[in-house]
Amino acid sequence: MALRMIQNDSIEDNMKMYLDQITRNTDGAYYDMLSIMNYMGPGGLVGNVTDSYLGATDNFDRFIEQRTLREEMAGLGYVNTKLVGVMYYDREEKKELISGMNVRALDGSHASLPEVVECAGNVIQAAHSSILGSGEEPVFSVMREVVFGNGKRLDVYAEIEADMKTPEEINKAGRPYTYIQTDERRITRYSTNPVIIQGQKLFSTTLSKGDYQVETREGYKIMAYRSQMGYINAVALPDNMYQNEINHWRMRMTLIIVASFLIFALSVFYLYRIICRPLNQFRRQMVQIGNGALQAVHEESDIAEFDSLMREVEQMKCQIENLISNMVEKEKSIQKTEYEKLSDQSTFPSQYVELGPVDGTDELPERYQRVCAEIKEASFV
């Protein structure tokens, strides 16, 4: 469940970034075309020239004004390099006001293109194949009906390239996103999805401006966003992509856990080798020294500091052994001296016997006993 939530959040974040990017592109395209509508409407920079052209009565004046109008309309393409084409269309005469400005001429089909929203007389149309350019790449378009000073009623129509590609930095995984555009009523007006077709109602609930909504329809996970202009952009991803992504996440998480365990085990083994093993060896050395075993048993390790410490311990053991040996020799020397002293004292009683009684009294036995007692007592010391 946790993996599913993490992966869903990851995919939805990716979808949201892609959706935000598309909406910025579409909003930018529509706003650019709305500016062009203002330029070409009455009172606009191009509209004033159009008014002069429509009001010209002389053929020469009309020629001059037409040439100026062509230059002004062509200049719009210099300002916006993604502009595919722009044109005035006369519905009464069923022809363009000025011919030859675009690759293909308007034939009135622009009025039946699917629209997503209408604001201030501007009909904002959904993405569709270009009717002014040469390619079949999708474009966005805006149409507006205007009336000039002489009463002439014309349609102003403009197309701009539709940039709906997923940026590589957003879709690094190469997920097969599809793009859907709906109108204010949530009716699909453009779709690159093979299941969601034009005219299908995409969502059952109303979506407020600036809000996101996610639903699963026809085996697709669909995320929609309603632009501040009122139309809705949506991106769709096959629902089974979620399961595939979750399986990949499980595999990656398993590999991460196994790798982490191996790293931990290696770290423990390494720490045991560089810390615990030398400490155990040091402890054994101390126990052996305490038990009186002073033989050299040091094993070299890979730690210079520990080897230096153990060499100091070996030197200490040698010094202890030498000290014990010196003490034994000194004790032996002391015992030898005492023995010789006792040997010299053992001749004293016989000397007393040879002296005989003192002052004519019979005290020899008592003195002899006292001397013997002193000798015995000295022998125990």
Short mmCIF file of all heavy atoms in Angstrom, two decimals, residues 273-327:
data_model
loop_
_atom_site.label_atom_id
_atom_site.label_comp_id
_atom_site.label_asym_id
_atom_site.label_seq_id
_atom_site.Cartn_x
_atom_site.Cartn_y
_atom_site.Cartn_z
N ARG A 273 36.58 -6.78 12.49
CA ARG A 273 37.98 -7.08 12.14
C ARG A 273 38.92 -6.00 12.67
O ARG A 273 40.01 -6.30 13.15
CB ARG A 273 38.11 -7.21 10.63
CG ARG A 273 39.52 -7.59 10.17
CD ARG A 273 39.56 -7.80 8.66
NE ARG A 273 40.90 -8.12 8.22
CZ ARG A 273 41.44 -9.33 8.27
NH1 ARG A 273 40.73 -10.35 8.76
NH2 ARG A 273 42.67 -9.56 7.85
N ILE A 274 38.51 -4.74 12.57
CA ILE A 274 39.44 -3.67 12.94
C ILE A 274 39.31 -3.24 14.40
O ILE A 274 40.20 -2.57 14.92
CB ILE A 274 39.24 -2.44 12.02
CG1 ILE A 274 37.88 -1.79 12.27
CG2 ILE A 274 39.43 -2.81 10.58
CD1 ILE A 274 37.68 -0.48 11.54
N ILE A 275 38.18 -3.64 15.09
CA ILE A 275 37.99 -3.20 16.48
C ILE A 275 37.85 -4.39 17.42
O ILE A 275 38.65 -4.56 18.34
CB ILE A 275 36.76 -2.28 16.58
CG1 ILE A 275 36.98 -1.01 15.76
CG2 ILE A 275 36.48 -1.92 18.04
CD1 ILE A 275 35.80 -0.07 15.75
N CYS A 276 36.82 -5.22 17.20
CA CYS A 276 36.52 -6.29 18.15
C CYS A 276 37.63 -7.34 18.20
O CYS A 276 38.04 -7.78 19.29
CB CYS A 276 35.18 -6.94 17.79
SG CYS A 276 33.79 -5.81 17.89
N ARG A 277 38.10 -7.75 17.05
CA ARG A 277 39.14 -8.79 17.03
C ARG A 277 40.41 -8.34 17.74
O ARG A 277 40.93 -9.08 18.60
CB ARG A 277 39.42 -9.18 15.57
CG ARG A 277 40.40 -10.32 15.43
CD ARG A 277 40.61 -10.65 13.97
NE ARG A 277 41.66 -11.63 13.79
CZ ARG A 277 42.15 -11.98 12.61
NH1 ARG A 277 41.66 -11.41 11.51
NH2 ARG A 277 43.09 -12.89 12.53
N PRO A 278 40.93 -7.16 17.46
CA PRO A 278 42.11 -6.71 18.22
C PRO A 278 41.84 -6.56 19.71
O PRO A 278 42.70 -6.87 20.54
CB PRO A 278 42.45 -5.36 17.57
CG PRO A 278 41.88 -5.45 16.22
CD PRO A 278 40.64 -6.24 16.36
N LEU A 279 40.62 -6.07 20.06
CA LEU A 279 40.30 -5.92 21.48
C LEU A 279 40.23 -7.27 22.18
O LEU A 279 40.68 -7.41 23.33
CB LEU A 279 38.98 -5.17 21.64
CG LEU A 279 39.00 -3.68 21.30
CD1 LEU A 279 37.62 -3.08 21.45
CD2 LEU A 279 39.99 -2.93 22.20
N ASN A 280 39.66 -8.26 21.51
CA ASN A 280 39.64 -9.61 22.09
C ASN A 280 41.05 -10.15 22.28
O ASN A 280 41.35 -10.81 23.29
CB ASN A 280 38.82 -10.55 21.20
CG ASN A 280 37.34 -10.26 21.25
OD1 ASN A 280 36.84 -9.71 22.24
ND2 ASN A 280 36.61 -10.59 20.19
N GLN A 281 41.88 -9.91 21.30
CA GLN A 281 43.27 -10.34 21.42
C GLN A 281 43.96 -9.64 22.58
O GLN A 281 44.70 -10.25 23.35
CB GLN A 281 44.03 -10.06 20.11
CG GLN A 281 45.45 -10.60 20.09
CD GLN A 281 46.13 -10.33 18.77
OE1 GLN A 281 45.50 -9.87 17.83
NE2 GLN A 281 47.42 -10.59 18.70
N PHE A 282 43.69 -8.34 22.75
CA PHE A 282 44.27 -7.59 23.86
C PHE A 282 43.76 -8.13 25.21
O PHE A 282 44.51 -8.25 26.18
CB PHE A 282 43.91 -6.12 23.71
CG PHE A 282 44.48 -5.23 24.77
CD1 PHE A 282 45.83 -4.90 24.78
CD2 PHE A 282 43.67 -4.73 25.78
CE1 PHE A 282 46.36 -4.09 25.77
CE2 PHE A 282 44.20 -3.91 26.77
CZ PHE A 282 45.54 -3.59 26.76
N ARG A 283 42.44 -8.46 25.25
CA ARG A 283 41.88 -9.02 26.48
C ARG A 283 42.54 -10.35 26.83
O ARG A 283 42.87 -10.60 28.01
CB ARG A 283 40.37 -9.20 26.31
CG ARG A 283 39.66 -9.74 27.55
CD ARG A 283 38.18 -9.93 27.28
NE ARG A 283 37.95 -10.86 26.19
CZ ARG A 283 37.97 -12.18 26.33
NH1 ARG A 283 38.22 -12.72 27.53
NH2 ARG A 283 37.75 -12.96 25.30
N ARG A 284 42.75 -11.21 25.84
CA ARG A 284 43.40 -12.49 26.10
C ARG A 284 44.82 -12.30 26.63
O ARG A 284 45.28 -13.01 27.52
CB ARG A 284 43.41 -13.33 24.82
CG ARG A 284 42.04 -13.88 24.44
CD ARG A 284 42.17 -14.97 23.39
NE ARG A 284 42.79 -14.49 22.17
CZ ARG A 284 42.12 -13.98 21.14
NH1 ARG A 284 40.79 -13.88 21.21
NH2 ARG A 284 42.75 -13.58 20.05
N GLN A 285 45.49 -11.30 26.06
CA GLN A 285 46.85 -11.02 26.54
C GLN A 285 46.83 -10.61 28.00
O GLN A 285 47.67 -11.05 28.80
CB GLN A 285 47.46 -9.89 25.69
CG GLN A 285 47.79 -10.30 24.26
CD GLN A 285 49.16 -10.96 24.17
OE1 GLN A 285 49.65 -11.55 25.11
NE2 GLN A 285 49.79 -10.83 23.01
N MET A 286 45.87 -9.75 28.39
CA MET A 286 45.80 -9.31 29.78
C MET A 286 45.48 -10.48 30.71
O MET A 286 46.03 -10.59 31.81
CB MET A 286 44.73 -8.23 29.92
CG MET A 286 45.03 -6.92 29.20
SD MET A 286 46.52 -6.08 29.80
CE MET A 286 47.70 -6.54 28.51
N VAL A 287 44.54 -11.36 30.27
CA VAL A 287 44.21 -12.53 31.08
C VAL A 287 45.41 -13.44 31.25
O VAL A 287 45.70 -13.95 32.36
CB VAL A 287 43.03 -13.29 30.45
CG1 VAL A 287 42.78 -14.61 31.17
CG2 VAL A 287 41.76 -12.44 30.50
N GLN A 288 46.18 -13.65 30.17
CA GLN A 288 47.38 -14.50 30.25
C GLN A 288 48.42 -13.89 31.16
O GLN A 288 49.07 -14.60 31.95
CB GLN A 288 47.95 -14.71 28.85
CG GLN A 288 47.07 -15.58 27.96
CD GLN A 288 47.57 -15.66 26.53
OE1 GLN A 288 48.59 -15.04 26.20
NE2 GLN A 288 46.87 -16.41 25.70
N ILE A 289 48.56 -12.55 31.09
CA ILE A 289 49.51 -11.89 31.98
C ILE A 289 49.06 -12.05 33.42
O ILE A 289 49.87 -12.32 34.33
CB ILE A 289 49.65 -10.41 31.61
CG1 ILE A 289 50.33 -10.26 30.24
CG2 ILE A 289 50.45 -9.65 32.67
CD1 ILE A 289 50.36 -8.85 29.73
N GLY A 290 47.74 -11.91 33.67
CA GLY A 290 47.23 -12.10 35.02
C GLY A 290 47.43 -13.51 35.53
O GLY A 290 47.61 -13.73 36.73
N ASN A 291 47.40 -14.49 34.64
CA ASN A 291 47.61 -15.89 35.02
C ASN A 291 49.07 -16.27 35.08
O ASN A 291 49.41 -17.43 35.38
CB ASN A 291 46.88 -16.81 34.06
CG ASN A 291 45.37 -16.67 34.15
OD1 ASN A 291 44.84 -16.27 35.20
ND2 ASN A 291 44.66 -16.97 33.06
N GLY A 292 49.94 -15.33 34.75
CA GLY A 292 51.37 -15.60 34.84
C GLY A 292 52.01 -16.10 33.57
O GLY A 292 53.22 -16.41 33.57
N ALA A 293 51.22 -16.21 32.48
CA ALA A 293 51.80 -16.66 31.21
C ALA A 293 52.37 -15.45 30.48
O ALA A 293 51.62 -14.59 30.02
CB ALA A 293 50.74 -17.35 30.36
N LEU A 294 53.69 -15.41 30.39
CA LEU A 294 54.35 -14.24 29.81
C LEU A 294 54.99 -14.54 28.45
O LEU A 294 55.81 -13.77 27.96
CB LEU A 294 55.44 -13.72 30.78
CG LEU A 294 54.93 -13.34 32.18
CD1 LEU A 294 56.08 -12.94 33.07
CD2 LEU A 294 53.91 -12.22 32.09
N GLN A 295 54.59 -15.67 27.82
CA GLN A 295 55.16 -15.99 26.52
C GLN A 295 54.63 -15.04 25.45
O GLN A 295 53.50 -14.59 25.53
CB GLN A 295 54.83 -17.44 26.11
CG GLN A 295 55.42 -18.50 27.02
CD GLN A 295 54.60 -18.70 28.27
OE1 GLN A 295 53.52 -18.12 28.40
NE2 GLN A 295 55.10 -19.51 29.20
N ALA A 296 55.42 -14.76 24.44
CA ALA A 296 55.02 -13.87 23.34
C ALA A 296 54.04 -14.58 22.42
O ALA A 296 54.38 -15.60 21.83
CB ALA A 296 56.25 -13.42 22.56
N VAL A 297 52.80 -14.07 22.32
CA VAL A 297 51.77 -14.69 21.47
C VAL A 297 51.13 -13.66 20.54
O VAL A 297 50.07 -13.88 20.01
CB VAL A 297 50.67 -15.34 22.34
CG1 VAL A 297 51.21 -16.53 23.09
CG2 VAL A 297 50.07 -14.30 23.30
N HIS A 298 51.73 -12.50 20.32
CA HIS A 298 51.13 -11.43 19.53
C HIS A 298 51.05 -11.80 18.05
O HIS A 298 52.00 -12.33 17.48
CB HIS A 298 51.96 -10.15 19.69
CG HIS A 298 51.52 -9.05 18.75
ND1 HIS A 298 50.22 -8.61 18.69
CD2 HIS A 298 52.24 -8.33 17.84
CE1 HIS A 298 50.13 -7.67 17.79
NE2 HIS A 298 51.34 -7.48 17.25
N GLU A 299 49.87 -11.55 17.45
CA GLU A 299 49.65 -11.74 16.01
C GLU A 299 49.49 -10.37 15.37
O GLU A 299 48.71 -9.55 15.83
CB GLU A 299 48.39 -12.57 15.77
CG GLU A 299 48.45 -13.96 16.37
CD GLU A 299 47.15 -14.71 16.16
OE1 GLU A 299 46.25 -14.12 15.51
OE2 GLU A 299 47.04 -15.85 16.62
N GLU A 300 50.19 -10.18 14.28
CA GLU A 300 50.13 -8.89 13.60
C GLU A 300 48.74 -8.67 13.00
O GLU A 300 48.13 -9.60 12.46
CB GLU A 300 51.18 -8.81 12.49
CG GLU A 300 52.61 -8.80 13.00
CD GLU A 300 52.94 -7.49 13.71
OE1 GLU A 300 52.33 -6.46 13.35
OE2 GLU A 300 53.78 -7.51 14.61
N SER A 301 48.22 -7.43 13.12
CA SER A 301 46.94 -7.07 12.50
C SER A 301 47.19 -5.99 11.45
O SER A 301 48.32 -5.63 11.17
CB SER A 301 45.97 -6.55 13.57
OG SER A 301 46.43 -5.33 14.11
N ASP A 302 46.07 -5.50 10.87
CA ASP A 302 46.19 -4.47 9.82
C ASP A 302 46.16 -3.06 10.39
O ASP A 302 46.14 -2.09 9.65
CB ASP A 302 45.04 -4.63 8.81
CG ASP A 302 45.11 -5.96 8.08
OD1 ASP A 302 46.23 -6.48 7.95
OD2 ASP A 302 44.04 -6.46 7.67
N ILE A 303 46.11 -2.95 11.74
CA ILE A 303 46.00 -1.64 12.37
C ILE A 303 47.35 -1.29 13.00
O ILE A 303 47.79 -1.97 13.94
CB ILE A 303 44.90 -1.63 13.43
CG1 ILE A 303 43.58 -2.14 12.83
CG2 ILE A 303 44.72 -0.24 14.01
CD1 ILE A 303 42.49 -2.31 13.84
N ALA A 304 47.98 -0.26 12.49
CA ALA A 304 49.31 0.09 12.96
C ALA A 304 49.29 0.49 14.43
O ALA A 304 50.19 0.13 15.21
CB ALA A 304 49.87 1.23 12.11
N GLU A 305 48.26 1.23 14.85
CA GLU A 305 48.19 1.67 16.24
C GLU A 305 48.06 0.50 17.19
O GLU A 305 48.69 0.47 18.25
CB GLU A 305 47.01 2.63 16.42
CG GLU A 305 47.14 3.96 15.70
CD GLU A 305 46.80 3.87 14.22
OE1 GLU A 305 46.42 2.76 13.79
OE2 GLU A 305 46.91 4.89 13.51
N PHE A 306 47.22 -0.48 16.82
CA PHE A 306 47.05 -1.64 17.68
C PHE A 306 48.32 -2.48 17.73
O PHE A 306 48.71 -2.98 18.80
CB PHE A 306 45.87 -2.48 17.18
CG PHE A 306 45.62 -3.71 18.02
CD1 PHE A 306 45.02 -3.60 19.26
CD2 PHE A 306 46.01 -4.96 17.57
CE1 PHE A 306 44.80 -4.72 20.03
CE2 PHE A 306 45.79 -6.08 18.35
CZ PHE A 306 45.17 -5.97 19.58
N ASP A 307 48.97 -2.65 16.59
CA ASP A 307 50.23 -3.39 16.59
C ASP A 307 51.27 -2.71 17.47
O ASP A 307 52.04 -3.38 18.18
CB ASP A 307 50.76 -3.52 15.15
CG ASP A 307 49.90 -4.46 14.32
OD1 ASP A 307 49.23 -5.32 14.92
OD2 ASP A 307 49.89 -4.32 13.08
N SER A 308 51.30 -1.38 17.45
CA SER A 308 52.23 -0.65 18.31
C SER A 308 51.90 -0.89 19.78
O SER A 308 52.80 -1.09 20.61
CB SER A 308 52.17 0.84 17.97
OG SER A 308 52.98 1.59 18.84
N LEU A 309 50.58 -0.87 20.11
CA LEU A 309 50.17 -1.13 21.49
C LEU A 309 50.57 -2.53 21.94
O LEU A 309 51.07 -2.72 23.06
CB LEU A 309 48.66 -0.94 21.60
CG LEU A 309 48.03 -1.28 22.96
CD1 LEU A 309 48.59 -0.38 24.05
CD2 LEU A 309 46.51 -1.17 22.89
N MET A 310 50.36 -3.52 21.08
CA MET A 310 50.69 -4.89 21.44
C MET A 310 52.19 -5.08 21.58
O MET A 310 52.65 -5.89 22.42
CB MET A 310 50.12 -5.86 20.40
CG MET A 310 48.60 -5.90 20.35
SD MET A 310 47.84 -6.20 21.97
CE MET A 310 48.43 -7.84 22.31
N ARG A 311 52.96 -4.37 20.81
CA ARG A 311 54.42 -4.44 20.99
C ARG A 311 54.81 -3.86 22.35
O ARG A 311 55.72 -4.37 23.02
CB ARG A 311 55.13 -3.70 19.85
CG ARG A 311 55.16 -4.51 18.54
CD ARG A 311 56.10 -3.89 17.52
NE ARG A 311 55.57 -2.63 17.00
CZ ARG A 311 54.81 -2.54 15.94
NH1 ARG A 311 54.45 -3.63 15.28
NH2 ARG A 311 54.37 -1.37 15.53
N GLU A 312 54.11 -2.80 22.75
CA GLU A 312 54.36 -2.25 24.09
C GLU A 312 54.00 -3.27 25.16
O GLU A 312 54.70 -3.40 26.18
CB GLU A 312 53.55 -0.97 24.29
CG GLU A 312 53.96 0.20 23.39
CD GLU A 312 55.32 0.75 23.77
OE1 GLU A 312 55.73 0.55 24.94
OE2 GLU A 312 55.97 1.35 22.90
N VAL A 313 52.90 -3.99 24.95
CA VAL A 313 52.52 -5.04 25.90
C VAL A 313 53.58 -6.13 25.98
O VAL A 313 53.93 -6.63 27.06
CB VAL A 313 51.14 -5.62 25.51
CG1 VAL A 313 50.80 -6.83 26.38
CG2 VAL A 313 50.06 -4.56 25.66
N GLU A 314 54.12 -6.53 24.82
CA GLU A 314 55.17 -7.54 24.80
C GLU A 314 56.40 -7.05 25.55
O GLU A 314 57.03 -7.82 26.31
CB GLU A 314 55.53 -7.89 23.35
CG GLU A 314 54.43 -8.60 22.57
CD GLU A 314 54.09 -9.94 23.16
OE1 GLU A 314 54.99 -10.57 23.76
OE2 GLU A 314 52.93 -10.36 23.06
N GLN A 315 56.73 -5.78 25.34
CA GLN A 315 57.86 -5.23 26.09
C GLN A 315 57.57 -5.24 27.59
O GLN A 315 58.45 -5.53 28.41
CB GLN A 315 58.16 -3.82 25.61
CG GLN A 315 58.69 -3.75 24.18
CD GLN A 315 58.94 -2.33 23.72
OE1 GLN A 315 58.80 -1.39 24.50
NE2 GLN A 315 59.30 -2.18 22.45
N MET A 316 56.32 -4.93 27.97
CA MET A 316 55.94 -4.95 29.37
C MET A 316 56.07 -6.36 29.95
O MET A 316 56.54 -6.55 31.07
CB MET A 316 54.51 -4.43 29.52
CG MET A 316 54.03 -4.37 30.97
SD MET A 316 52.30 -3.86 31.09
CE MET A 316 51.52 -5.34 30.43
N LYS A 317 55.65 -7.34 29.16
CA LYS A 317 55.77 -8.73 29.62
C LYS A 317 57.23 -9.11 29.82
O LYS A 317 57.58 -9.79 30.81
CB LYS A 317 55.11 -9.65 28.60
CG LYS A 317 53.59 -9.55 28.56
CD LYS A 317 52.97 -10.21 27.35
CE LYS A 317 53.26 -11.67 27.30
NZ LYS A 317 52.60 -12.32 26.16
N CYS A 318 58.09 -8.66 28.91
CA CYS A 318 59.52 -8.95 29.06
C CYS A 318 60.08 -8.28 30.33
O CYS A 318 60.88 -8.88 31.07
CB CYS A 318 60.28 -8.49 27.83
SG CYS A 318 59.91 -9.43 26.34
N GLN A 319 59.62 -7.03 30.54
CA GLN A 319 60.10 -6.32 31.74
C GLN A 319 59.61 -7.00 33.01
O GLN A 319 60.36 -7.13 33.98
CB GLN A 319 59.63 -4.87 31.69
CG GLN A 319 60.29 -4.05 30.59
CD GLN A 319 59.68 -2.67 30.47
OE1 GLN A 319 58.74 -2.34 31.19
NE2 GLN A 319 60.22 -1.87 29.55
N ILE A 320 58.36 -7.47 33.00
CA ILE A 320 57.83 -8.19 34.18
C ILE A 320 58.61 -9.47 34.40
O ILE A 320 58.96 -9.82 35.54
CB ILE A 320 56.33 -8.47 33.99
CG1 ILE A 320 55.53 -7.15 34.00
CG2 ILE A 320 55.80 -9.41 35.07
CD1 ILE A 320 54.08 -7.32 33.66
N GLU A 321 58.88 -10.17 33.29
CA GLU A 321 59.63 -11.43 33.41
C GLU A 321 61.03 -11.18 33.96
O GLU A 321 61.53 -11.92 34.83
CB GLU A 321 59.69 -12.11 32.05
CG GLU A 321 60.22 -13.53 32.10
CD GLU A 321 60.09 -14.21 30.76
OE1 GLU A 321 59.72 -13.55 29.78
OE2 GLU A 321 60.36 -15.43 30.68
N ASN A 322 61.68 -10.13 33.49
CA ASN A 322 63.03 -9.79 33.99
C ASN A 322 62.96 -9.39 35.46
O ASN A 322 63.84 -9.75 36.26
CB ASN A 322 63.62 -8.66 33.16
CG ASN A 322 63.94 -9.09 31.74
OD1 ASN A 322 64.16 -10.28 31.50
ND2 ASN A 322 63.96 -8.14 30.80
N LEU A 323 61.92 -8.62 35.84
CA LEU A 323 61.77 -8.21 37.22
C LEU A 323 61.56 -9.41 38.13
O LEU A 323 62.18 -9.50 39.22
CB LEU A 323 60.58 -7.24 37.33
CG LEU A 323 60.28 -6.70 38.74
CD1 LEU A 323 61.46 -5.91 39.28
CD2 LEU A 323 59.03 -5.82 38.70
N ILE A 324 60.74 -10.35 37.70
CA ILE A 324 60.52 -11.56 38.50
C ILE A 324 61.81 -12.35 38.63
O ILE A 324 62.16 -12.86 39.72
CB ILE A 324 59.40 -12.41 37.87
CG1 ILE A 324 58.05 -11.68 37.98
CG2 ILE A 324 59.31 -13.77 38.52
CD1 ILE A 324 56.92 -12.36 37.27
N SER A 325 62.55 -12.46 37.53
CA SER A 325 63.82 -13.19 37.56
C SER A 325 64.80 -12.52 38.51
O SER A 325 65.50 -13.21 39.29
CB SER A 325 64.39 -13.25 36.15
OG SER A 325 65.64 -13.92 36.14
N ASN A 326 64.86 -11.19 38.47
CA ASN A 326 65.77 -10.48 39.38
C ASN A 326 65.35 -10.67 40.82
O ASN A 326 66.20 -10.83 41.72
CB ASN A 326 65.77 -8.99 39.03
CG ASN A 326 66.42 -8.71 37.69
OD1 ASN A 326 67.22 -9.53 37.20
ND2 ASN A 326 66.07 -7.59 37.06
N MET A 327 64.03 -10.66 41.09
CA MET A 327 63.57 -10.86 42.45
C MET A 327 63.89 -12.26 42.94
O MET A 327 64.26 -12.46 44.11
CB MET A 327 62.05 -10.61 42.52
CG MET A 327 61.65 -9.15 42.30
SD MET A 327 59.86 -8.91 42.33
CE MET A 327 59.53 -9.34 44.05
#
